[in-house]
Amino acid sequence: MTRWYSDHQLSAAVTVARLIDAAGNQVVDVHGTYRQAATQGEHPSDDLRDAEQVLVSAGLLVEAEGRLVPVELLHALAVLDDATALLVLRGRLDPLPPGVDDLADDRGELGAAGEEHVAEICREELRGLGRADLSDRVQRVSLISDALGYDVNAPTLGAATRRLEVKTQGSNAAATVRFFLSRNEYEVGRRHTTSWALVMCCAPTGPSGAVEICGWCRADSLALYLPDDRNGRWTEAMVRMPTVALAAGFPPAV
């Protein structure tokens, strides 16, 4: 039976994630840090010690020979904003049921290539704008959890964060793009109307085989191409969308 964790417990776990060094720490040293952690009284040291086990249960932290050793994804979690970090952590501890998760079209090498291409574009853009500090915060959150409804988390120059759902097809865009969309992805896009965007990539076969951006859109642009619920609530759909319905370029950081 899966244990349910409160938001308070998950928040404490995120605090611990931000205190662990990349190379790991001696348990006794970390526990000493807990007593000095600036949590404005929200998380006493006992809460933070319990939160270690939350991270262990999530597969993000290992205790061995008196040391706490992070896996690589722990620090990807640590740099996310608080709300996103809690969603990611809950998704690892209590995954969504089958049918809500991403579909097979975004699995494997093709989907990973599209996501990494989009993440790198975000990084290059922010570095070009003189914000290398923000470029370091671009994350492929799909590596941590499939439950968020988007794949790449990227800052803007303002307070907003871009939530980018990446779809990749193994051909040129031509007149139509095709991809699977889960209900969860669509609903997240509807809730975050100005920060969520679907980014369509193409990875044509041939001499170059390089991933290219075909265009992007907000969730409201997808409604016309999705099924309705008159014959039952859909959980995933094959979307066939004219390429001209996509905006050119890429969701900007400015």
Side-chain angles (χ1 to χ4, degrees):
M1 179 174 165
T2 302
R3 176 178 174 182
W4 185 86
Y5 294 93
S6 68
D7 284 349
H8 182 82
Q9 290 171 302
L10 298 185
S11 175
V14 172
T15 298
V16 172
R18 292 169 177 161
L19 295 172
I20 301 294
D21 293 335
N25 303 85
Q26 293 291 332
V27 172
V28 63
D29 293 339
V30 177
H31 289 180
T33 302
Y34 293 165
R35 291 191 289 272
Q36 303 169 15
T39 67
Q40 286 75 49
E42 182 180 4
H43 298 300
S45 58
D46 286 348
D47 279 5
L48 298 179
R49 292 182 67 165
D50 290 343
E52 285 176 11
Q53 295 309 308
V54 177
L55 295 174
V56 170
S57 297
L60 296 172
L61 190 64
V62 176
E63 184 172 354
E65 300 181 353
R67 289 181 61 81
L68 291 171
V69 182
V71 304
E72 184 178 356
L73 293 179
L74 182 71
H75 291 288
L77 172 79
V79 299
L80 297 174
D81 62 87
D82 291 348
T84 304
L86 260 64
L87 282 172
V88 167
L89 194 51
R90 189 172 294 287
R92 288 187 68 88
L93 293 162
D94 187 16
L96 292 177
V100 180
D101 210 350
D102 284 347
L103 301 178
D105 72 308
D106 272 332
R107 301 291 184 178
E109 295 182 3
L110 185 63
E115 291 176 16
E116 189 52 43
H117 182 62
V118 167
E120 188 54 34
I121 286 177
C122 292
R123 295 185 188 108
E124 289 178 359
E125 178 190 31
L126 290 164
R127 286 193 292 262
L129 292 167
R131 294 302 304 270
D133 58 321
L134 293 181
S135 74
D136 292 339
R137 289 167 50 191
V138 175
Q139 295 289 336
R140 277 182 63 197
V141 293
S142 60
L143 294 175
I144 311 172
S145 174
D146 290 328
L148 291 177
Y150 53 95
D151 301 309
V152 175
N153 190 81
T156 67
L157 294 191
T161 297
R162 288 171 287 179
R163 299 170 170 90
L164 306 179
E165 173 61 32
V166 183
K167 300 296 181 183
T168 307
Q169 65 178 28
S171 64
N172 290 312
T176 305
V177 292
R178 297 174 58 188
F179 53 89
F180 283 96
L181 187 75
S182 74
R183 184 78 179 224
N184 182 53
E185 291 161 355
Y186 180 57
E187 295 294 349
V188 170
R190 291 179 65 193
R191 288 197 300 273
H192 300 284
T193 54
T194 59
S195 63
W196 186 97
L198 184 143
V199 180
M200 191 72 210
C201 295
C202 299
T205 56
S208 69
V211 178
E212 303 170 352
I213 301 294
C214 303
W216 66 283
C217 68
R218 300 291 185 197
D220 57 1
S221 298
L222 298 169
L224 182 63
Y225 311 101
L226 293 170
D228 56 42
D229 290 331
R230 285 180 295 181
N231 296 316
R233 190 175 188 273
W234 67 272
T235 57
E236 60 265 346
M238 163 66 83
V239 179
R240 295 171 176 83
M241 187 175 186
T243 307
V244 294
L246 297 170
F250 190 81
V254 222

